[in-house]
Amino acid sequence: MSRHAVVVGAGIVGAMCAVHALRAGHDVTIVEPAEPGGDQAASSGNLGWLSTHSVIPTAQPGTWKKIPGYLSDPLGPVSLEWTYLPRALPWLVRYVAGGATWARVAGTAHALRSLLVDAPQLHAEIAQSAGVPALIARTGVLHVYRSRDAFARDAMAWRMRRDVGVSWRELDADALRRREPALDERYTFAVHVEEAGHCRDPARYTQALFAHALGSGARHVQARATGLRIESGRLRAVTTDAGDFDADAAVIAAGSRSAPLAKAAGDRVPLLTERGYHASIDAPEASPDTPIMAMDAKVVATAMNGGLRIGGQVEIAPHDAAPNWRRAAVVRDLGLELFPALPRKLDPGRVRYWLGRRPSTPDGLPCIGYASATRDVVYAFGHGHVGLSASARTGHVVAQLLSCVAPEIPMAPFDARRFR
Ligand SMILES: Cc1cc2nc3c(=O)[nH]c(=O)nc-3n(C[C@H](O)[C@H](O)[C@H](O)COP(=O)(O)OP(=O)(O)OC[C@H]3O[C@@H](n4cnc5c(N)ncnc54)[C@H](O)[C@@H]3O)c2cc1C
């Protein structure tokens, strides 16, 4: 059965869905008002990790105790604006509840693993067909600790990763030094997740997939989707600021802007923007061979084609609030501490900053599946911290849903109706 599907949004998730829908024989129109993979998209400036193992939600038992700290330190690893608290509160309550017990965390881990388990392999395959195989690297990723004791304090999370099948190698100080000679010597223990990978240029990758979709027959409409015309339980058109586009299927992949479109399809989804920053250093004097996450500072450093990218952390603030570039400077400085050979006073011309908006649900799971109002509308949004990694499997299952064939993974955990 071939359908005319409108894919709303050309971030990595929308681009991936478009490519897979075309492969499944559907006719595809992509509605995207901005540059695909441009700065507005979370898909452009992320840290590039193709995680198989990022299965532990950020909310865990005891997280509620940390919320006063989030409110009092605007430059901490997680920050929350006082003025935004009333609006964020319903989301925060669900967020805390989602991680209230280790049993719930384990359920989330199990579901996320089904999306991530072979992410590097799926990305390598699609990058090959899009003509950009060199953008995908398979060196694994490193989580670095100041001591083995610090690692032991994270034991529960690592045990849960092991329970869902993640494997890794532990490196002592010497092994870590041999692998990453540029890293600050205060890090003396590491976990090397060899099964993970990374993308060397997420913006370029998104653009390559978008171009691949166009080359495979998709059309691009430069417009903002404003709603859906649904009559007698069937989708008739996607409405946009440039007119209506007839369609018999739609994929909602508008990242952090997806909630109003889901509402038009019968589902109220609590989607909040977890903002994050990166600092990118041109021609760095030192850089990791393998992407690194410093587990104390909660920052990630990835050597990208365009320089050393340091980023992470979470700012819970209104979607369109002005960026707080002091946070980006904090991230930069944490990166300088990771690699002592980087000069303390960097020429400002060598550093670029970016603010990104993670599309986050409170339980850490994306919404993928049919809309309540009609099975002609398929959701593919809310991927939070793992959208690049999970986009490949999401593309597969969205194409299966469009074709009305059984998806290759259990879909119940991703059903938007879980928030009713
Ligand atoms: C600092 C940071 C680091 C991260 N690191 C990683 C990482 O290492 N690995 C990982 O897997 N994930 C990471 N993420 C998360 C990841 O970037 C996101 O989950 C992912 O990019 C979301 O992709 P998306 O396509 O859903 O949304 P986006 O990339 O935001 O794309 C949405 C697109 O929809 C368009 N759009 C919006 N509204 C409309 C509309 N009404 N009509 C039509 N189009 C519309 C937008 O213009 C945009 O192009 C990180 C995120 C941040 C912020």
Side-chain angles (χ1 to χ4, degrees):
M1 176 186 55
S2 174
R3 311 171 82 180
H4 175 217
V6 169
V7 175
V8 179
I12 190 64
V13 175
M16 197 65 89
C17 291
V19 167
H20 284 288
L22 289 155
R23 280 185 177 183
H26 301 293
D27 191 20
V28 171
T29 299
I30 303 171
V31 172
E32 165 63 65
E35 184 196 345
D39 270 356
Q40 86 290 347
S43 304
S44 67
N46 62 53
L47 277 309
W49 282 37
L50 300 175
S51 299
T52 55
H53 63 295
S54 293
V55 296
I56 309 295
T58 50
Q60 294 162 21
T63 292
W64 63 270
K65 292 183 207 155
K66 297 182 184 165
I67 290 181
Y70 298 171
L71 285 161
S72 61
D73 183 2
L75 301 179
V78 181
S79 74
L80 169 60
E81 268 186 30
W82 273 106
T83 51
Y84 191 48
L85 183 60
R87 272 170 60 206
L89 198 59
W91 187 95
L92 283 169
V93 169
R94 285 180 190 262
Y95 169 77
V96 168
T101 64
W102 284 114
R104 286 188 197 172
V105 174
T108 304
H110 192 75
L112 279 179
R113 179 72 170 166
S114 72
L115 286 179
L116 301 177
V117 60
D118 49 2
Q121 189 185 319
L122 296 181
H123 282 281
E125 185 269 322
I126 200 95
Q128 176 78 39
S129 12
V132 287
L135 290 184
I136 305 300
R138 308 279 298 269
T139 54
V141 297
L142 285 170
H143 292 252
V144 301
Y145 288 90
R146 295 291 179 112
S147 65
R148 184 178 272 277
D149 284 350
F151 167 66
R153 287 193 284 279
D154 273 355
M156 192 58 159
W158 286 106
R159 194 175 316 146
M160 288 203 164
R161 292 189 180 99
R162 178 157 282 154
D163 287 348
V164 298
V166 176
S167 62
W168 63 84
R169 225 158 46 91
E170 294 174 11
L171 307 184
D172 64 13
D174 289 343
L176 177 57
R177 209 61 52 232
R178 280 196 299 278
R179 191 171 177 97
E180 292 298 340
L183 182 68
D184 182 351
E185 288 186 1
R186 283 175 295 178
Y187 291 95
T188 59
F189 186 81
V191 174
H192 184 199
V193 184
E194 290 169 296
E195 59 182 50
H198 71 280
C199 173
R200 294 191 168 99
D201 187 340
R204 167 95 187 83
Y205 182 42
T206 306
Q207 287 152 10
L209 291 190
F210 175 76
H212 183 45
L214 296 190
S216 307
R219 286 173 297 279
H220 175 209
V221 172
Q222 193 164 9
R224 180 173 302 283
T226 51
L228 303 166
R229 185 143 50 78
I230 298 169
E231 293 164 2
S232 309
R234 301 308 306 261
L235 177 75
R236 302 296 175 198
V238 174
T239 62
T240 79
D241 57 7
D244 294 3
F245 289 87
D246 291 350
D248 47 20
V251 177
I252 308 302
S256 55
R257 301 278 194 192
S258 297
L261 295 165
K263 194 170 162 206
D267 295 290
R268 281 178 185 275
V269 177
L271 197 66
L272 184 132
T273 307
E274 285 186 88
R275 307 189 340 161
Y277 295 82
H278 88 215
S280 181
I281 302 172
D282 288 341
E285 288 77 358
S287 208
D289 286 334
T290 310
I292 285 180
M293 178 167 195
M295 297 301 279
D296 51 348
K298 301 286 183 233
V299 289
V300 168
T302 305
M304 295 280 178
N305 284 352
L308 173 61
R309 186 173 291 180
I310 300 149
Q313 307 207 332
V314 169
E315 179 188 56
I316 299 177
H319 189 283
D320 296 322
N324 178 358
W325 293 120
R326 282 191 309 151
R327 284 197 68 93
V330 167
V331 160
R332 175 203 62 205
D333 291 345
L334 289 166
L336 297 183
E337 280 175 30
L338 282 181
F339 302 104
L342 291 174
R344 301 299 93 176
K345 283 206 184 322
L346 272 171
D347 170 2
R350 289 179 58 199
V351 192
R352 282 164 291 129
Y353 300 104
W354 173 83
L355 162 67
R357 297 171 175 87
R358 301 179 187 90
S360 295
T361 62
D363 61 6
L365 295 171
C367 293
I368 311 170
Y370 294 122
S372 292
T374 171
R375 289 163 77 91
D376 296 338
V377 176
V378 176
Y379 297 143
F381 63 85
H383 292 72
H385 292 244
V386 294
L388 170 63
S389 312
S391 60
R393 172 73 64 217
T394 300
H396 279 229
V397 298
V398 164
Q400 288 154 357
L401 293 167
L402 288 172
S403 304
C404 300
V405 301
E408 61 202 28
I409 58 167
M411 297 304 296
F414 311 113
D415 192 329
R417 285 169 295 192
R418 68 190 187 273
F419 295 116
R420 278 184 178 173

